[in-house]
Amino acid sequence: MVETVWSVCGMCTARCPIRVEVEGGVITWIEGNPHLLGGALCARGSAGLALLADDERPRQPLLRKGGRGEGRWQPVSWDIALDQVAERLQAIIAKDGARSTIMSCRGGPFVDPAKAFIQALGSPNFTNHDSACGRNVHHASLSVYGVGRPDLTYDIKNARHLVLFGRNLLESMKIGEANQVLDMLDAGGRLTYVDVRQTVTGLKASRFLMVRPGTDYALTLGLLHGLIKAGAYDAEFVRRHTVGFDELAAFVEPYTLDWAAQECGVKAKSLKELIDELGADRPRVIFHPGWMLARYRDSFYASRNLHLLNVLMGNLEIKGGQIFAKGAKDCGRKGIRNLTDLVPKPEERRADGAGWKYPHFDKGPGIFPLFYEAMATGEPYPLKALFCYRHDPLTCFPDPGAQKRRLDTLELLVSIDTHYSEFGWYSDVILPESPYLERDCQVAVQKGPKPRLIYRQRAAEPRHDTRPGWWIFQQLASRLGLGQYFPYSTIEELWAWQLEPTGIKIGDFAAQGFVDLADKPILDDRESMARRLATPSGKIELVSGKLAAQGIESLRPYESPPKPPAGSFRLVFGRSAVNTHGHTINNPLLHELLPANRLWINKRAAAGLGVADGDWLEVISQDGAARGQIQAKVTEFIHPEAVYCLHGFGRQVPLQSRACNAGMSDQKLQTGLLLDLDRVGGGLCLCEGLVTVRRSDRNGKREVEL
Amino acid sequence: MNKYQIHLNSKRCIGCHGCEVHCKTNKGLPPGPMLCEISHEPLRSARGVPRTEFRFRSCYHCEDPQCLPACPTGAMRKREDGIVFVEQETCIGCMACQQACPWGIPQLNPASGKAVKCDYCRERVDRGLKPACVTKCATHALRFVRLVEF
Ligand code: SF4
Ligand code: SF4
Ligand code: SF4
Ligand code: SF4
């Protein structure tokens, strides 16, 4: 008997909907949900099976025996592990208060139990990885529209022109989004791709602009200038829905297209052609405002300008443009219950300063690296415990050495994850979560033009002594006398409790794996669209009132990035479609596809260093403190000022035999960048680091053996 | 007469190597053998855009397969509809088929010690389904086509 189980892929954070076939308790087939993706899945999605079969993951709770990071573990039962975490937490809270505890998650639709748990403890310090990812984009969106990044979606499929700034969305991919791009191209749409190197996304582009690293902001300024001068923007939309246009126009006056072309190292003619095309293609033009834009010191402003370029296109709430994400309320329905709503909001100020020291930062998840600042100074109050749920700060943030020095000030580090993360390896307790195919997850709302409810059903029983997140947090909470905030003991009870107000039953998910809240996409008319804007002026703010109130400029004069000295390069990093950062590097089938990363280096730069393709290189951080070894990939299609590698490699967890020491880690070379944080956008400046590169001694000079 | 072929629309393919893993997990193969392969030429600049195209190769299911007569046990078989496959029970893992195939397509499965090759997912095809690589291609770039004689 073949059984269908509906779930959500957990191999990356795109979380594509999947259909799983199970025969006699064994998973035999995983495909993309046929109703939404027509079966399509990526390599990682299929390799979920290899994740289950792999034993090189934590298989039961582990308590640290030796020093942190020594790798000596005592396997214990769940009861012992949970009791111990609860006892140590109690002692910490008794002495330093609940506020001394932090919970970091990797975001996504299933974080509710983790967030409810830390809130139930009474701590305001819930956070995530996003300062190494989309914080700049999110805060830029808040400053322009008053709503954050998740509140706007992009109807790429119906666009005429998509412009991407380093947003490599065919490799950092979501199945649905990748197909939208290809459908748009098949329908004759145009793709302009801007990056410091060529990528798979750039392969499909109608225009590729290889820019000098660190000049994205210059290009956006030039484009704003060009569009305004050419009158190639939606003047009516700008007049009715925005404030600050005259200020913007005056500000970009010096930043001509010719200037931008020169600054970015691209042809002025291409930019002029681009302006003409944008004028012809608007309003169905989408400037993707970025996803991972924790790159440069002006990335927040670059992202803000990308939002402004969208506004000039007049692309809001139209087919082929940006569409406000709708939720249950927009469909005239009641939403689901979340655990977080049960728990009183902590009154205490956040230790990272979000919401008070930095009023312009969304205090939802705050800014993780600022906790490191607080750990070092003990201000505003002492921190004692850190939980990382599905988050590996040591792989995600720069300079793990500097991070560990700060983590050493904490009394309790707990890792809740499916795999050994670098953080897990350094922590005091590992509570192994069951991999996504072996666990259920609560119901979540997926907002969008056509919102729906999704959930995850376990397809197989756990092979090892691992547990789902909803159970782990419920168990910890009951041990701490906070069980009332987790009113369930089985997932069925949790689902029923969540769904009760909606009138939807969990059985309603059986047909397709999700429940649509609307029959067709909801598009507001322009007037109701305007009501969604949550800025102080109620308009789209080309110049932000909220930032101005903090004395922060919305339009920042451009500063040209310094050219790296000879032999030095800016280290940039990225993703491929076969791995998700550090999570999947040790997967047997993915490791087979891509066992190690290589360092992309420009052909001329390589010649200058006497480096040939495939040579071993030594890469040295800017302060000389960190070194890495990696093989060279010599190509003319990367800017000579940059070197590039895939992120996630160079892991050093001995129990991951395939991944351990394979390839080079970019974050270990990002010394000095841990607190190089944009205090306006909240993003780290991960591409502001320089490295020196030379041929390694590892390249043999003699042939001794016959 | 061969009835089937797999066709790649390289305009849509994004070189994600999904098909390779879809194939392997469908057949339960360990690291080592790959029954289909995505490859590409190095990038070359075409009108200012560095380009290359992805190619897909599995087995050609030749009209006159050279792997077949080379097999000493008769494990390599060809069906009426042209699908060339290895009968696992009979295969002794001598890999004579790999030697004989002009492209070295059959591969050794280290887990079973026997030869494996693309069989167009004949069990799925017999159930009226498309091959694994085609069904799950990330971008719907692969097509399983039925050849017709004019
Ligand atoms: S893109 Fe791939 S890994 Fe990510 S959720 Fe989708 S199928 Fe899974
Ligand atoms: S799965 Fe499809 S898109 Fe991905 S490499 Fe294979 S053929 Fe290309
Ligand atoms: S294995 Fe080689 S010879 Fe045999 S059918 Fe395939 S391509 Fe032809
Ligand atoms: S048709 Fe089947 S056996 Fe052949 S390459 Fe595709 S998935 Fe593999």
Side-chain angles (χ1 to χ4, degrees):
Chain A
M1 239 293 273
V2 179
E3 227 188 301
T4 282
V5 173
W6 300 108
S7 188
V8 175
C9 180
M11 293 295 285
C12 86
T13 44
R15 299 188 188 81
C16 300
I18 53 174
R19 186 183 150 270
V20 184
E21 286 182 13
V22 181
E23 265 181 271
V26 178
I27 300 175
T28 49
W29 177 259
I30 309 173
E31 65 181 5
N33 185 322
H35 304 288
L36 297 170
L37 299 175
L41 206 64
C42 77
R44 294 163 297 172
S46 271
L49 281 174
L51 164 71
L52 286 199
D54 188 19
D55 283 345
E56 292 188 348
R57 53 182 169 103
R59 288 173 281 171
Q60 69 191 95
L62 298 171
L63 302 181
R64 176 168 65 79
K65 281 206 297 198
R68 280 188 181 155
E70 259 180 37
R72 294 199 291 136
W73 298 101
Q74 179 177 10
V76 293
S77 69
W78 276 93
D79 270 336
I80 293 180
L82 293 166
D83 285 348
Q84 184 158 137
V85 172
E87 271 164 37
R88 294 174 67 179
L89 259 184
Q90 241 153 2
I92 287 171
I93 292 173
K95 200 162 138 278
D96 290 288
R99 64 182 190 177
S100 67
T101 61
I102 312 166
M103 166 75 65
S104 184
C105 285
R106 205 154 179 296
F110 302 123
V111 301
D112 185 39
K115 195 170 175 188
F117 172 70
I118 194 77
Q119 213 166 292
L121 284 185
S123 168
N125 295 319
F126 176 77
T127 188
N128 66 16
H129 70 294
D130 206 40
S131 36
C133 190
R135 267 307 89 171
N136 280 327
V137 184
H138 177 67
H139 285 136
S141 175
L142 280 173
S143 82
V144 174
Y145 306 112
V147 301
R149 178 182 68 162
D151 286 309
L152 282 163
T153 60
Y154 311 106
D155 183 17
I156 295 174
K157 182 180 170 140
N158 294 305
R160 289 208 192 99
H161 200 144
L162 175 65
V163 186
L164 301 172
F165 276 67
R167 172 80 191 113
N168 182 11
L169 47 63
L170 297 181
E171 289 185 271
S172 305
M173 75 159 158
K174 281 181 174 195
I175 300 282
E177 188 182 60
N179 278 286
Q180 283 208 35
V181 174
L182 295 162
D183 290 349
M184 175 201 85
L185 292 171
D186 278 348
R190 291 193 257 236
L191 174 62
T192 293
Y193 187 72
V194 181
D195 206 337
V196 301
R197 67 174 188 114
Q198 180 58 311
T199 64
V200 170
T201 312
L203 285 183
K204 308 287 177 188
S206 27
R207 177 181 298 100
F208 169 64
L209 299 171
M210 185 154 85
V211 293
R212 199 182 148 220
T215 62
D216 287 354
Y217 183 43
L219 188 52
T220 60
L221 287 168
L223 292 178
L224 285 166
H225 178 108
L227 287 170
I228 293 173
K229 281 286 153 212
Y233 64 98
D234 189 336
E236 174 61 13
F237 182 87
V238 167
R239 191 182 59 75
R240 290 186 56 171
H241 297 291
T242 73
V243 292
F245 181 76
D246 293 341
E247 224 176 301
L248 172 70
F251 174 77
V252 297
E253 190 60 38
Y255 302 117
T256 63
L257 273 187
D258 288 316
W259 167 83
Q262 171 126 41
E263 179 62 23
C264 304
V266 298
K267 290 202 185 81
K269 193 168 145 266
S270 317
L271 298 188
K272 290 191 177 120
E273 284 166 8
L274 174 57
I275 295 288
D276 290 344
E277 285 176 14
L278 294 172
D281 294 338
R282 81 179 168 81
R284 278 159 61 188
V285 173
I286 299 173
F287 282 85
H288 197 294
W291 194 267
M292 204 306 289
L293 258 195
R295 298 182 197 276
Y296 303 105
R297 296 203 177 97
D298 55 12
S299 285
F300 168 79
Y301 287 97
S303 179
R304 202 168 186 283
N305 275 358
L306 290 165
H307 288 296
L308 300 190
L309 285 160
N310 279 317
V311 174
L312 292 196
M313 296 291 101
N315 73 1
L316 263 100
E317 209 61 9
I318 56 160
K319 215 174 153 185
Q322 300 192 87
I323 301 178
F324 278 93
K326 313 296 184 315
K329 217 162 79 207
D330 300 294
C331 311
R333 309 180 69 142
K334 285 229 165 70
I336 56 165
R337 282 193 188 124
N338 290 309
L339 298 170
T340 325
D341 305 332
L342 281 183
V343 191
K345 288 247 172 335
E347 312 252 298
E348 184 62 68
R349 297 186 305 180
R350 294 181 58 100
D352 60 359
W356 58 279
K357 188 169 171 198
Y358 304 102
H360 54 289
F361 285 161
D362 181 348
K363 63 183 165 90
I367 306 289
F368 189 123
L370 293 177
F371 286 113
Y372 281 133
E373 207 163 76
M375 287 174 210
T377 60
E379 294 296 332
Y381 46 77
L383 294 168
K384 291 288 143 109
L386 170 64
F387 285 77
C388 285
Y389 175 45
R390 297 175 40 253
H391 179 210
D392 184 2
L394 296 178
T395 300
C396 167
F397 298 131
D399 201 347
Q403 292 184 61
K404 285 177 184 170
R405 285 195 294 282
R406 291 172 170 83
L407 292 176
D408 286 343
T409 66
L410 302 185
E411 287 168 18
L412 179 63
L413 305 178
V414 181
S415 166
I416 304 171
D417 214 330
T418 55
H419 60 278
Y420 293 111
S421 64
E422 298 251 359
F423 175 80
W425 197 249
Y426 199 70
S427 65
D428 306 325
V429 183
I430 298 181
L431 301 178
E433 194 180 29
S434 306
Y436 68 101
L437 291 165
E438 294 179 341
R439 73 173 188 259
D440 302 288
C441 287
Q442 64 274 24
V443 176
V445 186
Q446 201 169 57
K447 288 175 84 180
K450 196 176 165 209
R452 60 174 75 102
L453 298 183
I454 57 165
Y455 79 142
R456 194 181 255 149
Q457 226 187 330
R458 76 180 175 286
E461 293 307 317
R463 276 184 63 226
H464 299 303
D465 194 10
T466 59
R467 294 284 193 276
W470 58 267
W471 182 89
I472 297 174
F473 291 111
Q474 188 262 358
Q475 288 288 313
L476 279 174
S478 14
R479 278 169 169 76
L480 291 158
L482 300 166
Q484 75 270 29
Y485 297 123
F486 294 80
Y488 58 83
S489 51
T490 63
I491 189 70
E492 288 76 16
E493 285 173 18
L494 175 55
W495 285 335
W497 176 80
Q498 285 192 285
L499 286 172
E500 203 193 297
T502 65
I504 295 166
K505 297 270 172 294
I506 201 69
D508 300 344
F509 289 72
Q512 310 187 93
F514 57 92
V515 175
D516 276 325
L517 297 177
D519 309 332
K520 51 179 190 351
I522 304 173
L523 271 186
D524 288 347
D525 56 46
R526 278 275 157 93
E527 294 319 309
S528 0
M529 174 220 65
R531 283 199 292 277
R532 293 185 187 271
L533 301 168
T535 52
S537 64
K539 303 253 183 185
I540 296 170
E541 297 194 343
L542 306 178
V543 175
S544 159
K546 194 160 177 211
L547 289 182
Q550 301 304 313
I552 298 170
E553 59 207 349
S554 287
L555 306 163
R556 179 193 279 180
Y558 177 73
E559 278 176 51
S560 185
K563 198 173 151 47
S568 275
F569 303 86
R570 209 178 265 273
L571 177 63
V572 303
F573 59 89
R575 290 261 307 262
S576 87
V578 313
N579 266 316
T580 310
H581 310 306
H583 311 187
T584 57
I585 301 286
N586 199 50
N587 183 295
L589 293 184
L590 300 177
H591 175 264
E592 179 182 17
L593 291 178
L594 186 64
N597 54 0
R598 288 198 290 164
L599 193 76
W600 289 42
I601 181 166
N602 179 275
K603 205 167 159 183
R604 270 174 294 143
L609 298 171
V611 164
D613 195 48
D615 277 358
W616 281 98
L617 302 175
E618 186 163 42
V619 186
I620 305 160
S621 66
Q622 49 196 355
D623 59 359
R627 274 151 208 268
Q629 296 261 350
I630 188 169
Q631 280 182 289
K633 177 185 164 72
V634 175
T635 165
E636 48 191 302
F637 303 110
I638 179 167
H639 195 279
E641 287 181 18
V643 288
Y644 159 88
C645 69
L646 283 167
H647 175 69
F649 285 90
R651 293 173 73 76
Q652 285 170 314
V653 175
L655 286 182
Q656 295 182 321
S657 64
R658 295 168 287 270
C660 189
N661 287 320
M664 186 188 81
S665 145
D666 52 320
Q667 75 274 8
K668 288 175 188 158
L669 292 163
Q670 290 165 344
T671 52
L673 293 185
L674 181 57
L675 289 172
D676 196 338
L677 181 97
D678 179 345
R679 309 275 157 155
V680 176
L684 286 160
C685 306
L686 299 175
C687 298
E688 291 289 4
L690 298 183
V691 291
T692 46
V693 175
R694 60 179 185 224
R695 248 181 129 257
S696 156
D697 296 338
R698 198 159 158 182
N699 298 297
K701 296 188 194 78
R702 299 269 183 283
E703 204 56 70
V704 174
E705 288 190 283
L706 285 180
Chain B
M1 150 76 190
N2 281 356
K3 272 172 66 176
Y4 310 110
Q5 213 168 59
I6 292 178
H7 173 257
L8 175 71
N9 174 357
S10 60
K11 263 182 78 186
R12 281 191 83 94
C13 174
I14 55 171
C16 72
H17 296 264
C19 43
E20 297 170 350
V21 183
H22 303 332
C23 171
K24 292 190 67 147
T25 50
N26 182 50
K27 292 236 184 317
L29 295 177
M34 286 264 184
L35 306 194
C36 59
E37 186 183 275
I38 287 286
S39 61
H40 67 93
E41 294 278 316
L43 295 176
R44 226 177 288 147
S45 196
R47 282 197 280 136
V49 182
R51 300 260 189 222
T52 184
E53 285 199 343
F54 295 104
R55 282 186 310 235
F56 174 90
R57 188 179 81 168
S58 58
C59 158
Y60 296 104
H61 297 271
C62 306
E63 282 297 346
D64 186 14
Q66 306 201 21
C67 56
L68 201 140
C71 175
T73 66
M76 188 66 80
R77 313 257 300 264
K78 187 176 171 84
R79 307 205 314 187
E80 274 289 279
D81 58 7
I83 293 179
V84 179
F85 70 99
V86 183
E87 195 179 63
Q88 290 296 302
E89 300 73 43
T90 332
C91 174
I92 52 166
C94 67
M95 299 316 288
C97 50
Q98 187 182 44
Q99 297 291 320
C101 168
W103 303 278
I105 297 273
Q107 291 172 57
L108 182 72
N109 176 357
S112 65
K114 300 186 178 195
V116 275
K117 67 178 276 303
C118 166
D119 61 359
Y120 278 164
C121 292
R122 64 197 158 101
E123 279 129 14
R124 289 181 58 83
V125 171
D126 293 345
R127 283 189 284 147
L129 300 169
K130 290 180 213 158
C133 55
V134 173
T135 309
K136 292 163 64 174
C137 165
T139 64
H140 309 287
L142 288 172
R143 291 253 174 286
F144 190 54
V145 293
R146 195 181 282 273
L147 304 172
V148 288
E149 212 161 356
F150 278 100

